[in-house]
Amino acid sequence: HKKPRLVAFIFFTIPLRANSALFVILSVFFSQALRCRGMSIHIRAPRIIVKGAGESVVNGAYAARDPLKVPEGFAVVCRRMMWNTESTWKDLSDLKRPWFEHDNGSYIYWNRSDGRWWLDGPNGAGLYIVENGNESPPAEGWRALRGAKSPLPIIELVTAALGDVEAKEAA
């Protein structure tokens, strides 16, 4: 006999202005509740959804990335400008907050030198910015950079508690 296995998917959509602390609280609650029932839960990193931006190339889902890894579009701009990619990333990123990447290479990162979140296209060109020092990019307050099309992006944080929720055998 195989062990019974239950796979559960729990998704939370939280406007970013609510901050990610709510996700942490909910994750701990669900993890403890499942643990009491002899189950476990594995939690995946948050994603960002960008919708409605006039620059359609930035619309879509973004996955959280390691803050020590340099976005490819950022590296492209550094090479074009003949800047040292690694040292420029260290100067501009705080190396703590994750940055977020779209499948097409667009990315969102927090720039510590100007205190803004940047939403850049796949070629590394900045399209939208917002002044905000939160751990995650905010839902509102974005403005288009010169040449970027309106409307402004709508941003949501989606956190998934992804289950491999498995019943344990009784001892």
Side-chain angles (χ1 to χ4, degrees):
H1 280 313
K2 287 187 175 182
K3 282 198 281 185
R5 185 173 185 173
L6 170 67
V7 178
F9 297 92
I10 305 167
F11 292 95
F12 304 101
T13 301
I14 304 168
L16 291 177
R17 63 181 169 264
N19 205 337
S20 59
L22 178 59
F23 174 69
V24 172
I25 292 166
L26 290 172
S27 298
V28 169
F29 170 77
F30 282 117
S31 295
Q32 289 176 348
L34 289 170
R35 198 172 301 121
C36 288
R37 298 189 188 316
M39 299 177 178
S40 62
I41 189 166
H42 304 283
I43 299 170
R44 199 168 52 183
R47 297 184 301 136
I48 286 180
I49 305 294
V50 176
K51 303 187 261 189
E55 296 290 341
S56 61
V57 70
V58 300
N59 291 325
Y62 289 70
R65 298 289 186 238
D66 181 348
L68 300 178
K69 181 183 176 227
V70 178
E72 182 54 35
F74 187 93
V76 166
V77 170
C78 289
R79 287 191 296 269
R80 189 176 336 130
M81 302 301 291
M82 293 193 244
W83 299 334
N84 178 291
T85 301
E86 295 297 323
S87 65
T88 304
W89 181 248
K90 286 178 184 174
D91 289 344
L92 298 183
S93 168
D94 69 357
L95 303 177
K96 295 175 186 165
R97 287 176 179 86
W99 58 277
F100 299 86
E101 184 177 33
H102 190 292
D103 286 343
N104 70 9
S106 295
Y107 60 99
I108 303 169
Y109 81 102
W110 188 73
N111 183 321
R112 73 176 173 159
S113 73
D114 64 9
R116 294 181 174 135
W117 283 94
W118 287 69
L119 175 48
D120 296 353
N123 64 357
L127 299 170
Y128 303 97
I129 59 172
V130 62
E131 194 165 333
N132 183 294
N134 289 349
E135 292 300 310
S136 300
E140 41 193 47
W142 292 85
R143 68 180 175 93
L145 291 172
R146 187 177 201 178
K149 297 175 188 167
S150 292
L152 299 175
I154 298 166
I155 297 181
E156 292 180 357
L157 176 66
V158 178
T159 2
L162 177 61
D164 233 341
V165 178
E166 213 172 293
K168 292 182 181 174
E169 289 182 299

